[in-house]
mmCIF file of all heavy atoms in Angstrom:
data_model
loop_
_atom_site.group_PDB
_atom_site.id
_atom_site.type_symbol
_atom_site.label_atom_id
_atom_site.label_comp_id
_atom_site.label_asym_id
_atom_site.label_seq_id
_atom_site.Cartn_x
_atom_site.Cartn_y
_atom_site.Cartn_z
ATOM 1 N N ALA A 50 75.801 164.912 127.269
ATOM 2 C CA ALA A 50 75.877 164.501 128.660
ATOM 3 C C ALA A 50 76.185 162.991 128.843
ATOM 4 O O ALA A 50 75.615 162.355 129.702
ATOM 5 C CB ALA A 50 74.586 164.875 129.378
ATOM 6 N N MET A 51 77.106 162.487 128.026
ATOM 7 C CA MET A 51 77.427 161.062 128.131
ATOM 8 C C MET A 51 78.846 160.808 128.640
ATOM 9 O O MET A 51 79.771 161.600 128.361
ATOM 10 C CB MET A 51 77.295 160.388 126.768
ATOM 11 C CG MET A 51 75.858 160.171 126.291
ATOM 12 S SD MET A 51 74.915 159.046 127.325
ATOM 13 C CE MET A 51 75.751 157.472 127.069
ATOM 14 N N PHE A 52 79.008 159.695 129.327
ATOM 15 C CA PHE A 52 80.317 159.149 129.717
ATOM 16 C C PHE A 52 80.501 157.847 128.941
ATOM 17 O O PHE A 52 79.797 156.888 129.210
ATOM 18 C CB PHE A 52 80.337 158.907 131.231
ATOM 19 C CG PHE A 52 81.655 158.333 131.734
ATOM 20 C CD1 PHE A 52 82.605 159.146 132.290
ATOM 21 C CD2 PHE A 52 81.923 156.963 131.634
ATOM 22 C CE1 PHE A 52 83.815 158.630 132.760
ATOM 23 C CE2 PHE A 52 83.103 156.435 132.107
ATOM 24 C CZ PHE A 52 84.058 157.282 132.666
ATOM 25 N N VAL A 53 81.398 157.878 127.955
ATOM 26 C CA VAL A 53 81.589 156.680 127.109
ATOM 27 C C VAL A 53 83.090 156.421 127.038
ATOM 28 O O VAL A 53 83.854 157.189 126.421
ATOM 29 C CB VAL A 53 81.048 156.941 125.674
ATOM 30 C CG1 VAL A 53 81.172 155.690 124.841
ATOM 31 C CG2 VAL A 53 79.613 157.422 125.712
ATOM 32 N N CYS A 65 89.418 159.986 130.539
ATOM 33 C CA CYS A 65 88.021 159.581 130.835
ATOM 34 C C CYS A 65 88.010 158.559 131.992
ATOM 35 O O CYS A 65 87.326 158.717 132.996
ATOM 36 C CB CYS A 65 87.407 159.026 129.592
ATOM 37 S SG CYS A 65 85.750 158.400 129.788
ATOM 38 N N SER A 68 88.819 159.931 135.308
ATOM 39 C CA SER A 68 87.792 160.841 135.853
ATOM 40 C C SER A 68 86.699 160.086 136.623
ATOM 41 O O SER A 68 85.911 160.695 137.356
ATOM 42 C CB SER A 68 87.109 161.649 134.726
ATOM 43 O OG SER A 68 88.033 162.541 134.142
ATOM 44 N N ARG A 69 86.701 158.800 136.416
ATOM 45 C CA ARG A 69 85.579 157.988 136.942
ATOM 46 C C ARG A 69 85.485 158.077 138.475
ATOM 47 O O ARG A 69 84.353 158.187 139.038
ATOM 48 C CB ARG A 69 85.764 156.549 136.512
ATOM 49 C CG ARG A 69 84.691 155.579 136.875
ATOM 50 C CD ARG A 69 83.353 155.913 136.163
ATOM 51 N NE ARG A 69 82.267 155.261 136.843
ATOM 52 C CZ ARG A 69 81.706 154.114 136.410
ATOM 53 N NH1 ARG A 69 82.122 153.551 135.304
ATOM 54 N NH2 ARG A 69 80.723 153.561 137.089
ATOM 55 N N ALA A 70 86.613 158.099 139.159
ATOM 56 C CA ALA A 70 86.570 158.082 140.642
ATOM 57 C C ALA A 70 85.904 159.333 141.154
ATOM 58 O O ALA A 70 85.022 159.294 142.044
ATOM 59 C CB ALA A 70 88.004 157.960 141.209
ATOM 60 N N PHE A 71 86.239 160.499 140.576
ATOM 61 C CA PHE A 71 85.605 161.782 140.980
ATOM 62 C C PHE A 71 84.123 161.720 140.700
ATOM 63 O O PHE A 71 83.264 162.112 141.505
ATOM 64 C CB PHE A 71 86.260 162.933 140.265
ATOM 65 C CG PHE A 71 85.712 164.293 140.637
ATOM 66 C CD1 PHE A 71 86.441 165.150 141.457
ATOM 67 C CD2 PHE A 71 84.468 164.736 140.164
ATOM 68 C CE1 PHE A 71 85.959 166.404 141.802
ATOM 69 C CE2 PHE A 71 83.964 165.987 140.513
ATOM 70 C CZ PHE A 71 84.717 166.845 141.336
ATOM 71 N N LEU A 72 83.759 161.246 139.472
ATOM 72 C CA LEU A 72 82.351 161.247 139.073
ATOM 73 C C LEU A 72 81.532 160.311 139.933
ATOM 74 O O LEU A 72 80.362 160.564 140.247
ATOM 75 C CB LEU A 72 82.251 160.842 137.599
ATOM 76 C CG LEU A 72 82.847 161.857 136.590
ATOM 77 C CD1 LEU A 72 82.991 161.238 135.209
ATOM 78 C CD2 LEU A 72 82.013 163.135 136.553
ATOM 79 N N ASP A 73 82.136 159.174 140.349
ATOM 80 C CA ASP A 73 81.431 158.225 141.216
ATOM 81 C C ASP A 73 81.290 158.760 142.641
ATOM 82 O O ASP A 73 80.304 158.505 143.307
ATOM 83 C CB ASP A 73 82.251 156.908 141.320
ATOM 84 C CG ASP A 73 81.923 155.983 140.175
ATOM 85 O OD1 ASP A 73 80.812 156.057 139.639
ATOM 86 O OD2 ASP A 73 82.815 155.156 139.822
ATOM 87 N N ASP A 74 82.303 159.487 143.097
ATOM 88 C CA ASP A 74 82.330 159.889 144.506
ATOM 89 C C ASP A 74 82.906 161.302 144.632
ATOM 90 O O ASP A 74 84.051 161.459 145.033
ATOM 91 C CB ASP A 74 83.189 158.837 145.262
ATOM 92 C CG ASP A 74 83.085 159.066 146.728
ATOM 93 O OD1 ASP A 74 82.199 159.809 147.193
ATOM 94 O OD2 ASP A 74 84.001 158.550 147.458
ATOM 95 N N PRO A 75 82.129 162.295 144.233
ATOM 96 C CA PRO A 75 82.661 163.663 144.287
ATOM 97 C C PRO A 75 82.936 164.107 145.733
ATOM 98 O O PRO A 75 82.345 163.562 146.654
ATOM 99 C CB PRO A 75 81.556 164.511 143.656
ATOM 100 C CG PRO A 75 80.304 163.680 143.739
ATOM 101 C CD PRO A 75 80.741 162.259 143.727
ATOM 102 N N ALA A 80 78.260 167.960 145.668
ATOM 103 C CA ALA A 80 77.104 167.571 144.833
ATOM 104 C C ALA A 80 75.957 167.085 145.744
ATOM 105 O O ALA A 80 76.188 166.479 146.789
ATOM 106 C CB ALA A 80 77.484 166.441 143.882
ATOM 107 N N GLY A 82 73.517 165.042 144.716
ATOM 108 C CA GLY A 82 73.069 163.724 144.319
ATOM 109 C C GLY A 82 74.115 163.095 143.432
ATOM 110 O O GLY A 82 75.170 163.697 143.195
ATOM 111 N N PRO A 83 73.854 161.885 142.904
ATOM 112 C CA PRO A 83 74.841 161.256 142.041
ATOM 113 C C PRO A 83 75.095 162.049 140.759
ATOM 114 O O PRO A 83 74.168 162.671 140.217
ATOM 115 C CB PRO A 83 74.238 159.879 141.726
ATOM 116 C CG PRO A 83 72.924 159.821 142.384
ATOM 117 C CD PRO A 83 72.642 161.099 143.095
ATOM 118 N N LEU A 84 76.330 162.028 140.291
ATOM 119 C CA LEU A 84 76.643 162.703 139.013
ATOM 120 C C LEU A 84 76.458 161.781 137.807
ATOM 121 O O LEU A 84 76.347 162.235 136.677
ATOM 122 C CB LEU A 84 78.104 163.199 139.044
ATOM 123 C CG LEU A 84 78.448 164.237 140.131
ATOM 124 C CD1 LEU A 84 79.943 164.562 140.107
ATOM 125 C CD2 LEU A 84 77.626 165.489 139.940
ATOM 126 N N LEU A 85 76.436 160.447 138.080
ATOM 127 C CA LEU A 85 76.291 159.467 136.981
ATOM 128 C C LEU A 85 75.038 158.654 137.180
ATOM 129 O O LEU A 85 74.627 158.398 138.315
ATOM 130 C CB LEU A 85 77.492 158.532 136.998
ATOM 131 C CG LEU A 85 78.878 159.136 136.772
ATOM 132 C CD1 LEU A 85 79.973 158.061 136.931
ATOM 133 C CD2 LEU A 85 78.973 159.773 135.390
ATOM 134 N N SER A 86 74.429 158.251 136.069
ATOM 135 C CA SER A 86 73.348 157.276 136.168
ATOM 136 C C SER A 86 73.418 156.344 134.988
ATOM 137 O O SER A 86 74.005 156.677 133.938
ATOM 138 C CB SER A 86 71.978 157.988 136.263
ATOM 139 O OG SER A 86 71.868 158.945 135.244
ATOM 140 N N ASP A 87 72.789 155.198 135.109
ATOM 141 C CA ASP A 87 72.870 154.147 134.087
ATOM 142 C C ASP A 87 72.263 154.616 132.759
ATOM 143 O O ASP A 87 71.253 155.299 132.743
ATOM 144 C CB ASP A 87 72.121 152.889 134.525
ATOM 145 C CG ASP A 87 72.854 152.198 135.671
ATOM 146 O OD1 ASP A 87 74.046 152.481 135.843
ATOM 147 O OD2 ASP A 87 72.218 151.389 136.372
ATOM 148 N N ARG A 88 72.888 154.213 131.666
ATOM 149 C CA ARG A 88 72.328 154.480 130.338
ATOM 150 C C ARG A 88 72.692 153.372 129.364
ATOM 151 O O ARG A 88 71.838 152.702 128.815
ATOM 152 C CB ARG A 88 72.829 155.839 129.810
ATOM 153 C CG ARG A 88 72.467 156.166 128.360
ATOM 154 C CD ARG A 88 70.961 156.198 128.127
ATOM 155 N NE ARG A 88 70.267 157.100 129.024
ATOM 156 C CZ ARG A 88 69.009 157.021 129.352
ATOM 157 N NH1 ARG A 88 68.243 156.037 128.853
ATOM 158 N NH2 ARG A 88 68.449 157.880 130.172
ATOM 159 N N ASN A 144 78.361 149.847 130.147
ATOM 160 C CA ASN A 144 78.927 150.712 131.197
ATOM 161 C C ASN A 144 78.906 152.215 130.856
ATOM 162 O O ASN A 144 79.363 153.022 131.638
ATOM 163 C CB ASN A 144 80.369 150.328 131.502
ATOM 164 C CG ASN A 144 80.474 148.880 131.898
ATOM 165 O OD1 ASN A 144 79.502 148.328 132.456
ATOM 166 N ND2 ASN A 144 81.580 148.229 131.628
ATOM 167 N N ALA A 145 78.435 152.575 129.671
ATOM 168 C CA ALA A 145 78.294 154.006 129.318
ATOM 169 C C ALA A 145 77.212 154.598 130.237
ATOM 170 O O ALA A 145 76.230 153.930 130.568
ATOM 171 C CB ALA A 145 77.889 154.171 127.871
ATOM 172 N N LEU A 146 77.425 155.860 130.622
ATOM 173 C CA LEU A 146 76.577 156.438 131.678
ATOM 174 C C LEU A 146 76.091 157.840 131.266
ATOM 175 O O LEU A 146 76.730 158.531 130.466
ATOM 176 C CB LEU A 146 77.400 156.591 132.968
ATOM 177 C CG LEU A 146 77.862 155.237 133.558
ATOM 178 C CD1 LEU A 146 79.145 155.411 134.371
ATOM 179 C CD2 LEU A 146 76.777 154.603 134.399
ATOM 180 N N ASP A 147 74.997 158.247 131.851
ATOM 181 C CA ASP A 147 74.550 159.651 131.763
ATOM 182 C C ASP A 147 75.334 160.450 132.793
ATOM 183 O O ASP A 147 75.511 160.011 133.959
ATOM 184 C CB ASP A 147 73.063 159.765 132.123
ATOM 185 C CG ASP A 147 72.142 159.359 130.995
ATOM 186 O OD1 ASP A 147 72.625 159.216 129.846
ATOM 187 O OD2 ASP A 147 70.950 159.164 131.267
ATOM 188 N N ILE A 148 75.727 161.671 132.405
ATOM 189 C CA ILE A 148 76.360 162.588 133.355
ATOM 190 C C ILE A 148 75.375 163.723 133.641
ATOM 191 O O ILE A 148 74.804 164.298 132.687
ATOM 192 C CB ILE A 148 77.678 163.188 132.788
ATOM 193 C CG1 ILE A 148 78.634 162.091 132.314
ATOM 194 C CG2 ILE A 148 78.342 164.079 133.824
ATOM 195 C CD1 ILE A 148 79.882 162.626 131.593
ATOM 196 N N ASP A 149 75.210 164.085 134.901
ATOM 197 C CA ASP A 149 74.464 165.284 135.228
ATOM 198 C C ASP A 149 75.438 166.457 135.086
ATOM 199 O O ASP A 149 76.199 166.780 135.988
ATOM 200 C CB ASP A 149 73.930 165.176 136.648
ATOM 201 C CG ASP A 149 73.022 166.336 137.033
ATOM 202 O OD1 ASP A 149 73.184 167.447 136.417
ATOM 203 O OD2 ASP A 149 72.166 166.178 137.906
ATOM 204 N N VAL A 150 75.468 167.058 133.889
ATOM 205 C CA VAL A 150 76.507 168.063 133.545
ATOM 206 C C VAL A 150 76.356 169.280 134.428
ATOM 207 O O VAL A 150 77.371 169.820 134.925
ATOM 208 C CB VAL A 150 76.412 168.475 132.051
ATOM 209 C CG1 VAL A 150 77.486 169.513 131.720
ATOM 210 C CG2 VAL A 150 76.595 167.246 131.150
ATOM 211 N N ALA A 152 75.205 169.495 137.417
ATOM 212 C CA ALA A 152 75.670 169.181 138.746
ATOM 213 C C ALA A 152 77.181 169.029 138.819
ATOM 214 O O ALA A 152 77.826 169.420 139.806
ATOM 215 C CB ALA A 152 74.984 167.885 139.245
ATOM 216 N N LEU A 153 77.786 168.479 137.753
ATOM 217 C CA LEU A 153 79.230 168.352 137.737
ATOM 218 C C LEU A 153 79.893 169.754 137.665
ATOM 219 O O LEU A 153 80.843 170.025 138.424
ATOM 220 C CB LEU A 153 79.676 167.514 136.509
ATOM 221 C CG LEU A 153 81.178 167.442 136.259
ATOM 222 C CD1 LEU A 153 81.915 166.792 137.442
ATOM 223 C CD2 LEU A 153 81.479 166.647 134.967
ATOM 224 N N ILE A 336 83.369 166.845 128.802
ATOM 225 C CA ILE A 336 82.634 166.697 130.075
ATOM 226 C C ILE A 336 83.159 165.451 130.801
ATOM 227 O O ILE A 336 83.532 165.506 131.968
ATOM 228 C CB ILE A 336 81.092 166.535 129.800
ATOM 229 C CG1 ILE A 336 80.591 167.631 128.900
ATOM 230 C CG2 ILE A 336 80.378 166.420 131.139
ATOM 231 C CD1 ILE A 336 80.534 169.040 129.471
ATOM 232 N N GLN A 337 83.217 164.335 130.074
ATOM 233 C CA GLN A 337 83.548 163.050 130.709
ATOM 234 C C GLN A 337 85.019 162.981 131.203
ATOM 235 O O GLN A 337 85.348 162.112 131.987
ATOM 236 C CB GLN A 337 83.265 161.895 129.776
ATOM 237 C CG GLN A 337 84.076 161.871 128.520
ATOM 238 C CD GLN A 337 83.692 160.701 127.601
ATOM 239 O OE1 GLN A 337 82.594 160.153 127.701
ATOM 240 N NE2 GLN A 337 84.597 160.317 126.712
ATOM 241 N N PRO A 340 87.248 166.004 135.294
ATOM 242 C CA PRO A 340 87.981 165.884 136.563
ATOM 243 C C PRO A 340 89.474 165.593 136.348
ATOM 244 O O PRO A 340 90.333 166.216 137.012
ATOM 245 C CB PRO A 340 87.275 164.691 137.263
ATOM 246 C CG PRO A 340 85.893 164.705 136.687
ATOM 247 C CD PRO A 340 86.073 165.088 135.250
#
Side-chain angles (χ1 to χ4, degrees):
M51 286 296 294
F52 179 98
V53 184
C65 177
S68 293
R69 184 66 197 261
F71 182 105
L72 293 167
D73 274 335
D74 188 16
L84 298 177
L85 298 175
S86 50
D87 289 342
R88 172 59 56 203
N144 302 331
L146 298 154
D147 281 346
I148 306 174
D149 185 335
V150 180
L153 173 60
I336 308 292
Q337 63 182 22

